Amino acid sequence: QKEVEQDPGPLSVPEGAIVSLNCTYSNSAFQYFMWYRQYSRKGPELLMYTYSSGNKEDGRFTAQVDKSSKYISLFIRDSQPSDSATYLCAMSEGGSQGNLIFGKGTKLSVKP
Amino acid sequence: ETGVTQTPRHLVMGMTNKKSLKCEQHLGHNAMYWYKQSAKKPLELMFVYNFKEQTENNSVPSRFSPECPNSSHLFLHLHTLQPEDSALYLCASSQVQGASGYTFGSGTRLTVV
């Protein structure tokens, strides 16, 4: 079983839709969880950062972490064509033993 | 710019060439990383430097050789590459290894012919 599982999509939604992106993981020691957005021909940029379980909201974006289920989600409300990108989840144990482990990324397309 | 600058943006090299990729960060971060991004695969961690010291070499072939002369600069020296090494090579930095958000450069798109 891979350490971080993420459905690569592609996922296509109409403008204004609520988008749900998810990752599952197997390592119960992960405690730092992140979502990155990567536009074509660009490097990933940090979108959301969460420590341990819980929710975090930033504008139209909400990140959820459920450590008991080893499941993290990113919700995008009122999606816009400019949200079209690949979204990568990433997580780490932290400390000197913990480097970021990435999912494969989900390619999202928001149609006007 | 994101604060992490990578050059060149694109590189085409033959299997017998020697070339180097350069990364520079202007964020005062202490950790720097090289990642390889191939189609339909997760980002693969190659090397980690923490306070200029290499702390991880993720079983990378010796045809890839990193160098970190100071905490702001990171190089990846390439020689005798194979076509399967064609990929996007990303440099990243972070304040703390593993626990803080990484800032990525735009990458070098490498094609080995």
Side-chain angles (χ1 to χ4, degrees):
Chain A
Q1 182 185 7
K2 292 187 173 57
E3 205 158 13
V4 178
E5 299 270 10
Q6 183 177 11
D7 185 342
L11 179 62
S12 183
V13 301
E15 184 175 354
I18 296 175
V19 176
S20 172
L21 304 168
N22 312 293
C23 288
T24 59
Y25 61 95
S26 56
N27 184 352
S28 58
F30 285 148
Q31 50 182 341
Y32 297 91
F33 302 91
M34 301 165 208
W35 286 94
Y36 285 81
R37 178 175 61 196
Q38 186 174 19
Y39 290 114
S40 181
R41 299 186 179 84
K42 296 285 189 180
E45 58 175 328
L46 181 64
L47 197 57
M48 299 289 281
Y49 176 97
T50 310
Y51 171 71
S52 194
S53 283
N55 294 357
K56 186 172 184 178
E57 188 172 322
D58 184 2
R60 296 184 295 110
F61 298 89
T62 300
Q64 288 186 350
V65 175
D66 182 349
K67 290 188 72 178
S68 63
S69 302
K70 298 191 181 70
Y71 187 87
I72 70 171
S73 301
L74 178 70
F75 297 94
I76 307 174
R77 290 183 299 281
D78 187 25
S79 56
Q80 303 295 310
S82 58
D83 295 326
S84 298
T86 297
Y87 290 80
L88 301 101
C89 63
M91 46 200 80
S92 80
E93 298 179 28
S96 61
Q97 299 303 312
N99 293 306
L100 275 188
I101 307 298
F102 285 84
K104 287 184 181 180
T106 300
K107 187 169 184 178
L108 171 68
S109 177
V110 181
K111 304 293 186 184
Chain B
E1 269 299 345
T2 61
V4 177
T5 304
Q6 286 188 248
T7 54
R9 292 295 304 274
H10 302 274
L11 178 63
V12 179
M13 59 186 288
M15 289 191 284
T16 58
N17 290 159
K18 288 184 180 181
K19 295 286 185 183
S20 295
L21 309 184
K22 180 182 175 182
C23 176
E24 184 175 359
Q25 58 101 354
H26 315 277
L27 302 167
H29 287 169
N30 298 310
M32 296 187 76
Y33 314 81
W34 280 116
Y35 279 88
K36 176 183 179 183
Q37 188 174 36
S38 305
K40 298 189 182 354
K41 294 175 75 173
L43 281 169
E44 299 174 53
L45 180 64
M46 300 176 72
F47 301 104
V48 181
Y49 278 82
N50 201 23
F51 292 95
K52 300 189 302 177
E53 298 297 319
Q54 184 174 312
T55 56
E56 189 147 344
N57 175 338
N58 213 21
S59 303
V60 180
S62 60
R63 57 186 184 269
F64 294 91
S65 174
E67 179 190 358
C68 188
N70 55 61
S71 57
S72 298
H73 293 85
L74 187 64
F75 295 89
L76 188 62
H77 303 299
L78 316 171
H79 65 95
T80 327
L81 294 192
Q82 305 298 311
E84 60 264 28
D85 296 322
S86 299
L88 181 68
Y89 288 85
L90 290 161
C91 173
S93 70
S94 69
Q95 185 61 41
V96 176
Q97 182 182 347
S100 55
Y102 291 11
T103 302
F104 283 85
S106 293
T108 295
R109 173 67 63 185
L110 174 67
T111 304
V112 181
V113 297

